[in-house]
Amino acid sequence: QVQLVESGGGLVQAGGSLRLSCAASGRTFGLNGMGWFRQAPGKERRFVAYINQRDGDTYYTESVKGRFTMTRDRAKNALYLEMNSLLPEDTAVYYCAATSYSCSSVYVCTTSRYYDYWGQGTQVTVSS
């Protein structure tokens, strides 16, 4: 019922920037939160950033604080992730996700199993 499509990934040198986009379509009116997760080769999918669709509050994982900025465009049902000062350890497939759950705790909004909808992912590769 909700479709998410990521774009904007690619190859970039360390210290460079990328801007990821997530376009949401379908029945999005009931969503409470949207976020980004990433998965490096051979590793588990990990939380990156979250935005509460009700009040606009954001939360970032410690490793990206001060470097990544998440924004939204409610009219376009779009979510963006500005990634600056990129590091090789940022290399991963990045996934846009959305949830109908309320972010009742940090654990809920940063845990993948609480998200109902997922995009197909976009590859980000940072060279040293």
Side-chain angles (χ1 to χ4, degrees), residues 34-75:
M34 295 185 70
W36 293 91
F37 290 75
R38 64 186 180 185
Q39 187 168 21
K43 297 185 178 180
E44 297 294 320
R45 189 171 300 185
R46 302 285 297 275
F47 166 79
V48 177
Y50 163 89
I51 185 166
N52 188 310
Q53 295 293 89
R54 305 296 185 184
D55 57 22
D57 285 351
T58 56
Y59 185 83
Y60 301 87
T61 193
E62 189 69 27
S63 63
V64 308
K65 287 181 178 178
R67 300 190 298 119
F68 292 8
T69 302
M70 182 166 52
T71 57
R72 64 176 177 174
D73 187 332
R74 293 289 291 170

Side-chain angles (χ1 to χ4, degrees), residues 74-85:
R74 293 289 291 170
K76 297 180 179 179
N77 287 324
L79 184 71
Y80 307 96
L81 184 67
E82 296 181 3
M83 309 164 67
N84 301 311
S85 301

Side-chain angles (χ1 to χ4, degrees), residues 81-120:
L81 184 67
E82 296 181 3
M83 309 164 67
N84 301 311
S85 301
L86 284 162
L87 302 169
E89 53 259 44
D90 294 318
T91 295
V93 176
Y94 283 70
Y95 297 89
C96 178
T99 180
S100 59
Y101 288 92
S102 175
C103 190
S104 58
S105 68
V106 172
Y107 174 78
V108 170
C109 64
T110 63
T111 301
S112 62
R113 70 185 182 93
Y114 289 101
Y115 284 76
D116 306 296
Y117 310 101
W118 295 85
Q120 295 299 306

